[in-house]
Amino acid sequence: MFQRATRCSVRLVERYLPDAYVFVLIFTALAAIAALTIERSSPLELVRYWGTGFWELLGFLMQMLLVLVTGFILAKTPPVKRGLTWLASRCRTPRNAIVMVTLVAMAANWINWGFGLVIGALFAREVARHVRVDYRLLAASAYSGFIVWHGGLSGSIPLTIATDGHFMQDAIGLIPTADTLFAPVNLLIIALLVIAIPLINCAMTPSERDSVLFTPPEDVDAPPLARDASPAERLEHGWLLSVSIGVAGLVYLADHFIGGGLNLNIVNYAFLMLGIVLRRTPARLLAALQEARRRILPGLLRRRVSRAWPR
């Protein structure tokens, strides 16, 4: 019965849920209608408000982009990959795999939603190499971990209102994360979700006959530095300068946390410095940035045109 309800939900979502960009357009239109009917603004005033305020959140948007990019960089580091491979090797059954993927994704998303977004996908791929499990549910379990992100360490609103100079400071002031992210009620909700979501995902596990199985190809490592590499290439592949900068950044973080609090800038800074240290060389860091650019930037404003093609 539960699986029948799941299949029905999948069909509804596939048929009626548009791309996120469509929701942006819909909510923009709703806000415009509300301004015209409730606030009695004229159409010209409305356009002026919209055009003038279009870039006021540019700093916030850059912070959100950095959350995603720095999380991506850290998630693709060799130590993290080794940890995911080790965890995946401990999965024995499909249900065990679903629960493990869900828990790992939730933990990663609680730390940083950009980190969790990538970790969930990478771990699902790694688990699929070890266990015969429905790949659709495995992917869904990876993304279900996203449900805790806003109550975690990269929650955009709690961190923004804890950052000095945020765009609503005149109205609400600064609100520390102790009153939001680390409030008992928030921690209780997260604990309940950590218990409930893996059980729900596990209950949706189909039989092997109904499962869609897929074994992802193995990742290809980058080739080593050639013996006849130029001085510039040796600098790019040297670790001393890059790691020194990263360690200096981590020292600053330690000093900050002695008397300072958590905010969005500190979270991004921490992930960037950790990424620099764990990536070790400038070449590896830049390769991760290039991959992040290819995978992330097209998704910031996209339209899934493939859905218009006949199936």
Side-chain angles (χ1 to χ4, degrees), residues 59-136:
F60 174 71
L61 294 175
M62 178 58 70
Q63 288 173 322
M64 291 297 99
L65 179 60
L66 285 174
V67 169
L68 188 54
V69 171
T70 57
F72 185 95
I73 290 172
L74 187 60
K76 299 283 284 186
T77 56
V80 172
K81 186 179 185 302
R82 287 194 295 269
L84 295 180
T85 302
W86 182 84
L87 284 174
S89 67
R90 298 301 184 269
C91 297
R92 297 289 183 265
T93 66
R95 293 181 183 274
N96 175 233
I98 294 300
V99 170
M100 182 72 80
V101 167
T102 306
L103 290 175
V104 169
M106 294 182 84
N109 275 287
W110 186 83
I111 295 171
N112 178 291
W113 66 266
F115 181 65
L117 194 64
V118 181
I119 284 292
L122 292 178
F123 189 52
R125 287 171 58 87
E126 196 63 42
V127 168
R129 297 188 181 110
H130 292 80
V131 181
R132 291 173 58 84
V133 59
D134 185 81
Y135 198 71
R136 301 165 302 176

Side-chain angles (χ1 to χ4, degrees), residues 11-274:
R11 287 194 295 269
L12 287 173
V13 169
E14 288 179 341
R15 185 171 179 82
Y16 295 108
L17 185 67
D19 190 89
Y21 176 58
V22 177
F23 282 105
V24 173
L25 300 178
I26 291 173
F27 287 126
T28 300
L30 290 176
I33 293 171
L36 292 171
T37 57
I38 299 175
E39 295 296 328
R40 302 297 181 182
S41 300
S42 69
L44 181 58
E45 287 177 328
L46 176 63
V47 172
R48 285 174 178 170
Y49 294 148
W50 185 65
T52 303
F54 196 84
W55 301 109
E56 288 185 358
L57 296 179
L58 187 60
F60 174 71
L61 294 175
M62 178 58 70
Q63 288 173 322
M64 291 297 99
L65 179 60
L66 285 174
V67 169
L68 188 54
V69 171
T70 57
F72 185 95
I73 290 172
L74 187 60
K76 299 283 284 186
T77 56
V80 172
K81 186 179 185 302
R82 287 194 295 269
L84 295 180
T85 302
W86 182 84
L87 284 174
S89 67
R90 298 301 184 269
C91 297
R92 297 289 183 265
T93 66
R95 293 181 183 274
N96 175 233
I98 294 300
V99 170
M100 182 72 80
V101 167
T102 306
L103 290 175
V104 169
M106 294 182 84
N109 275 287
W110 186 83
I111 295 171
N112 178 291
W113 66 266
F115 181 65
L117 194 64
V118 181
I119 284 292
L122 292 178
F123 189 52
R125 287 171 58 87
E126 196 63 42
V127 168
R129 297 188 181 110
H130 292 80
V131 181
R132 291 173 58 84
V133 59
D134 185 81
Y135 198 71
R136 301 165 302 176
L137 182 57
L138 201 63
S141 299
Y143 287 106
S144 69
F146 209 62
I147 197 171
V148 301
W149 80 269
H150 207 267
L153 301 183
S154 65
S156 55
I157 293 176
L159 291 180
T160 297
I161 61 179
T163 302
D164 189 26
H166 69 82
F167 61 93
M168 291 193 66
Q169 186 168 346
D170 293 340
I172 64 174
L174 288 175
I175 302 177
T177 53
D179 296 335
T180 53
L181 298 180
F182 300 108
V185 65
N186 182 60
L187 297 177
L188 176 61
I189 291 172
I190 290 176
L192 293 175
L193 289 172
V194 168
I195 295 171
I197 299 302
L199 294 177
I200 293 173
N201 289 343
C202 185
M204 291 190 289
T205 305
S207 63
E208 185 169 351
R209 185 189 63 183
D210 296 330
S211 296
V212 174
L213 304 177
F214 173 68
T215 302
E218 295 291 337
D219 297 328
V220 179
D221 294 329
L225 184 65
R227 289 181 176 272
D228 59 346
S230 67
E233 290 175 326
R234 293 189 181 279
L235 281 173
E236 291 169 355
H237 289 80
W239 63 269
L240 182 60
L241 181 61
S242 186
V243 171
S244 298
I245 295 297
V247 169
L250 295 179
V251 171
Y252 166 78
L253 285 172
D255 180 68
H256 169 81
F257 284 121
I258 291 175
L262 194 66
N263 59 54
L264 197 51
N265 292 331
I266 287 296
V267 169
N268 285 335
Y269 186 87
F271 268 69
L272 178 60
M273 292 302 125
L274 285 171

